């Protein structure tokens, strides 16, 4: 039969290319079927000789098709073919033979695509968590958590009925077991792959090192679980070899480079996290794998590629643990054309669990934003041509040796210099426009700044287009054989990157025609502390993306977090992630109360005479009160701010006094975040002053943290370009931006900050909210009603300090 009856045209081309790359020898390809039962995507698994190729079963799953070619064009299966086809056919895997031109195919075994779904037994799974159940047998001191069992039942229903489930799980419920148990059971019964996506490394480590090994014990089975990392976590051996061949790096960087080169000879993973030291970011980004720089089948190091090895492990696993950013990278490829039944960044999957789901809007917004800067342009052009220590390096030199078009090469050299010059000029002009501000949003209300920004941007765009055009002129002289040279392929990679910059510039120049995106500039610092400007295009709303990439294609979608609800409902969070009339899916919701006794174990204090944050004397009041509280608690405190400038002011006021009392004061920015947290956790007589990123993801149980001081209600800064645009969009449609966005967002962030205190059942402590608006403004009750019920004291600061001291003395007596 013809190959077209069994393959899509694109997959035929891919198989032909694989055979050509193998010089006409036999190859083994894994194919995935689309809804029309045609092979729509292929992955090269192995290469052989003229007569045979190894069949690598770890690549395969039920419904896949093994395709291999007969160079002789005789499609009659050999005895070895029939034996392998029988083995694979019993697993539901098909077996096809094709000729080298992929014009005809012989189907030895049909893939089994239909499967009977076996529903989960809710009572059986619930019994695992009940007294006398499997978990109790593993841990005799285990105490039943009714909320955890109810949560498990919700998620089990989600798997059985193909539902979207939303759940807010109070701290201490054990939500990871509540979703991992049904996920494991589903995978073991039905074989469908499940993705668990988180926002933080801490939770990923907890899942991989603690929770998942426990669930494996409970089921006495391992369906295959892999932590999947992004490409940039892995060393690229080709880029390492190229960097090693250059002598232009600084001496201290050479030492680290040599250490990485030695490590590359023995490492099994190539993962940055497995290095014995943490390499400088600038060096690592020279060496790590990048999707648009990957040479694919042309790579000379393909057989040892660490990314491919990690992908093989992922393909063999049935539960994948990823972060939100990597998942959105995968989903973006799928909605861009890769489809949902083939491999993209991840192998195909059918069900998703989003833990830490309160971060989804930020994660999706970040991923789907597009940007460039003078640094990124310099990175791309330096790959083409750079000069250091009097020597020239770069791909252009290799092209010159290959093509001998000296005049055109010299013209390209000049254009590269022109692009570099205009990029630097654009950066200087952008800095003038920012005028010392951290960001600037381009709108119709700023016509004078439009000209200042867009004219040099257009000049830069024209120069890059001239450069791209000259390269295309150069490539016209390439022979078919020269076109296959790796140097040409690598040049095209950098040119594609520069073309992406042209596209962003073009969108900026036509920003007035686009009301779906936010166009803005951001001032940043490089690793040397020098300022540069980043041009960013950010989606105004992620609703359509979420609907197309998540809600429509996936059968079960579970969202869970400790902070999804505002005022006891999910309406705000649902509005931010695209749950509207366009989502035609059945949704189940659940609120699960923490087993912790907050009313006994937490004192929530509010000094009622505290000045408003906008009043003079506010910072002085905070500083004085913080000193008194931390003197009583002997440190053990986390002070959360909404701005780094206020943090610095309070730090300057309290540092000397705290040190005088033997309290070690730490502040965000003086050390790496993880090291700072480790120092704080290890030194119980310490206090940590921190801002935005420390409002969540800080897990410090025990005596190291007994006081959390929240200096100000965490309202977003309305001058943030994306927040500002979203507020305007709400007002434009007749809504109230404060009540619909700023307030509920701040409530969720306050809940996150509050949640830093009680992490274990034995924890006790104090939360102090220093912003009087929580008791003087009508919206204050929404903040308070969204927090767990605690022992609450609202009084003048001198009486509040007495209650704080009494509470701490009582805590110490009961340790």
């Amino acid at each position: 039969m013809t190959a077209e009856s069994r393959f899509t045209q694109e997959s035929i081309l891919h198989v032909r290319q694989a055979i050509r790359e193998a010089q006409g020898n036999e190859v083994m390809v894994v194919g995935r079927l689309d809804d029309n039962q045609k092979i729509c995507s292929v992955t090269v698994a192995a290469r052989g000789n003229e007569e045979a190729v190894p069949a690598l079963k770890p690549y395969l799953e039920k419904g896949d098709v093994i395709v291999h070619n007969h160079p002789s064009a005789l499609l009659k299966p050999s005895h070895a073919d029939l034996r392998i086809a029988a083995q694979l056919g019993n697993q539901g895997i098909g077996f096809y033979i094709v000729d080298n031109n992929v014009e005809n195919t012989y189907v030895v075994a049909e893939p089994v695509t239909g499967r009977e779904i076996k529903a989960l037994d809710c009572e059986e799974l619930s019994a695992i968590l009940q007294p006398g159940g499997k978990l109790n047998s593993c841990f005799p001191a285990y105490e039943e958590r009714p909320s955890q069992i109810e949560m498990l039942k919700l998620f089990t229903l989600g798997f059985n009925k193909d539902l979207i489930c939303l759940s807010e799980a109070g701290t201490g419920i054990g939500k990871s077991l509540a979703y991992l148990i049904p996920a494991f059971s589903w995978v073991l019964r039905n074989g469908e792959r499940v993705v668990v996506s988180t926002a933080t490394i801490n939770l990923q480590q907890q899942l991989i090192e603690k929770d998942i090994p426990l669930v494996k014990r409970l089921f006495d089975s391992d369906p295959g679980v892999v932590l999947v990392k992004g490409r940039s976590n892995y060393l690229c051996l080709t880029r390492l070899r190229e960097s090693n061949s250059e002598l232009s790096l600084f001496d201290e960087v050479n030492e680290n480079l040599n250490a990485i080169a030695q490590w590359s000879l023995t490492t099994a993973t190539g993962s940055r996290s497995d290095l014995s030291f943490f390499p400088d970011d600038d060096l690592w980004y020279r060496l790590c794998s990048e999707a648009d720089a990957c040479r694919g089948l042309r790579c000379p190091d393909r057989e040892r590629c660490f990314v491919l090895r990690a992908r093989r492990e992922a393909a063999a696993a049935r539960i994948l643990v990823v972060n939100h950013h990597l998942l959105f990278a995968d989903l973006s490829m799928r909605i861009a054309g890769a489809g949902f039944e083939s491999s993209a960044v991840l192998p195909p999957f059918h069900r998703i669990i989003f833990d830490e789901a309160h971060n989804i809007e930020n994660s999706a917004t970040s991923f789907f934003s597009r940007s460039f800067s003078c640094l990124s342009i310099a990175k791309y052009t330096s790959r083409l041509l750079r000069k250091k220590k009097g020597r020239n390096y770069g791909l252009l030199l290799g092209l010159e040796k290959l093509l001998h078009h000296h005049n055109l090469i010299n013209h390209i050299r000049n254009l590269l210099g022109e692009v570099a010059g205009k990029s630097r000029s654009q950066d200087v002009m952008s800095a003038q426009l920012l005028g010392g501000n951290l960001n600037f949003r381009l709108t119709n209300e700023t016509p004078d700044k439009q000209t200042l920004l867009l004219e040099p941007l257009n000049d830069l765009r024209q120069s890059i287009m001239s450069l791209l055009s000259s390269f295309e002129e150069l490539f016209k002289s390439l022979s078919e054989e020269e076109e296959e040279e790796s140097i040409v392929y690598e040049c095209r990679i950098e040119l594609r990157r520069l073309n992406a910059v042209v596209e962003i510039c073009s969108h900026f120049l036509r920003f007035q025609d686009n009301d779906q995106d936010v166009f803005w500039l951001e001032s940043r610092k490089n690793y040397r502390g020098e300022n540069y400007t980043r041009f960013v295009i950010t989606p105004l709303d992620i609703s359509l993306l979420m609907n197309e990439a998540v809600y429509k294609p996936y059968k079960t979608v579970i969202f869970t977090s400790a902070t999804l609800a505002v005022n006891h409902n999910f309406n705000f969070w649902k509005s931010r992630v695209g749950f509207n009339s366009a989502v035609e899916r059945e949704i189940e919701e659940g609120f699960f109360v923490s087993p912790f006794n907050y009313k006994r174990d937490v004192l929530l204090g509010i000094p009622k005479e505290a000045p408003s944050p906008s009043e003079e004397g506010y910072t002085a009041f905070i500083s004085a009160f913080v000193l008194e509280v931390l003197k009583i608690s002997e440190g053990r405190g986390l002070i959360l701010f909404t701005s780094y400038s206020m943090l610095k002011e309070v730090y300057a006021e309290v540092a000397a006094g705290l040190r005088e009392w033997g309290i070690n004061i730490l502040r965000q920015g003086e050390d790496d975040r993880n090291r700072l947290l480790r120092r704080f956790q290890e030194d119980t007589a310490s206090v940590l002053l921190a801002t935005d990123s420390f409002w969540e993801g800080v897990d410090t149980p025990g005596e190291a943290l007994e006081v959390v001081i929240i200096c100000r209600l965490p309202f977003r800064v309305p001058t943030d370009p994306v927040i500002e645009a979203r507020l305007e969009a709400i007002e434009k449609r007749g809504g109230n931006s404060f009540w619909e966005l700023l307030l509920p967002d701040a409530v969720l962030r306050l809940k996150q900050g509050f949640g830093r205190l009680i992490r274990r059942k034995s924890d006790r402590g104090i939360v102090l909210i220093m912003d009087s608006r929580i008791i003087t403004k009508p919206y204050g009750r929404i903040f308070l009603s969204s927090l767990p019920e605690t022992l609450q004291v609202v009084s003048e600061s001198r009486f509040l300090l007495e209650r704080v001291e009494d509470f701490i003395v009582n805590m110490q007596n009961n340790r």
Side-chain angles (χ1 to χ4, degrees), residues 51 68 70 75-84 95 97:
E51 298 178 351
H68 92 99
H70 280 187
L75 304 190
K76 181 180 178 181
S78 65
H79 291 297
D81 289 337
L82 292 172
R83 185 177 67 255
I84 293 169
F95 191 92
I97 302 172

Side-chain angles (χ1 to χ4, degrees), residues 250-264:
F250 297 109
D251 291 340
E252 66 270 16
V253 176
N254 265 328
E255 292 176 9
N256 285 341
L257 180 63
N258 290 336
I260 291 172
Q262 289 301 312
W263 168 76
S264 73

